[in-house]
Amino acid sequence: MAAQQAYARVDFGLTKWLIEAAAVTGGGPRFVYLSSLGVEPGSSNAYLAARARAEAVLRDSGLPWTIARPSFITGSDRDESRPLERAGAAVGDAALALAGVFGGKRLRDRYRSTDASTLARGLVRVGLDPAFVDRVAYAEDLRGPSG
């Protein structure tokens, strides 16, 4: 219950507040929102549900937008210690590497983890790219053509 309330206040509430603030500037800045892979309207997962609500507010705001939906964010350049997330990413990346060998390259590229530095560079790149206005960028987009 506490986590659900935190997601509602922070992941949705603060994001909604920022979207509203950007919308009243009149300049129409593009809003780049770091969401999550797996976001679906009506999700029973509180984290994903809060992100789905934020995405809906952003899409309805009238602002140009880019929504980024990476998979696991991991790597030595990540400040937070998230041992379960790191373990999940390691196991998932190993399975996805195997899938890539057997023809599942698109699956591998969509779901494998991304380190924080690569993600940051990708957010800037898609945030400045006119091709990503009003579009969702997935992990493979954020890693770029060489990633």
Side-chain angles (χ1 to χ4, degrees):
M1 183 66 151
Q4 188 173 10
Q5 290 172 341
Y7 293 138
R9 277 193 321 270
V10 177
D11 292 58
F12 173 70
L14 289 179
T15 302
K16 182 177 184 266
W17 180 72
L18 288 169
I19 292 167
E20 290 170 349
V24 298
T25 65
R30 183 174 352 165
F31 198 101
V32 178
Y33 178 57
L34 179 57
S35 191
S36 175
L37 195 63
V39 167
E40 296 276 336
S43 175
S44 61
N45 176 293
Y47 175 78
L48 296 177
R51 299 232 170 232
R53 288 177 60 209
E55 285 186 15
V57 168
L58 179 55
R59 282 187 169 110
D60 293 341
S61 71
L63 292 169
W65 54 266
T66 300
I67 295 171
R69 288 188 186 162
S71 186
F72 284 113
I73 305 166
T74 191
S76 59
D77 59 349
R78 184 111 194 244
D79 292 338
E80 303 93 8
S81 172
R82 297 182 179 199
L84 292 176
E85 189 171 317
R86 286 179 193 250
V91 170
D93 285 350
L96 290 165
L98 188 60
V101 169
F102 291 103
K105 291 180 181 172
R106 189 161 187 248
L107 176 76
R108 177 202 62 202
D109 293 346
R110 172 72 46 104
Y111 291 96
R112 72 182 163 105
S113 65
T114 303
D115 66 79
S117 296
T118 300
L119 175 60
R121 285 190 301 275
L123 288 169
V124 170
R125 190 180 60 259
V126 301
L128 295 172
D129 186 341
F132 281 91
V133 173
D134 297 343
R135 186 170 152 208
V136 175
Y138 291 95
E140 64 271 25
D141 303 312
L142 296 164
R143 280 192 293 274
S146 63

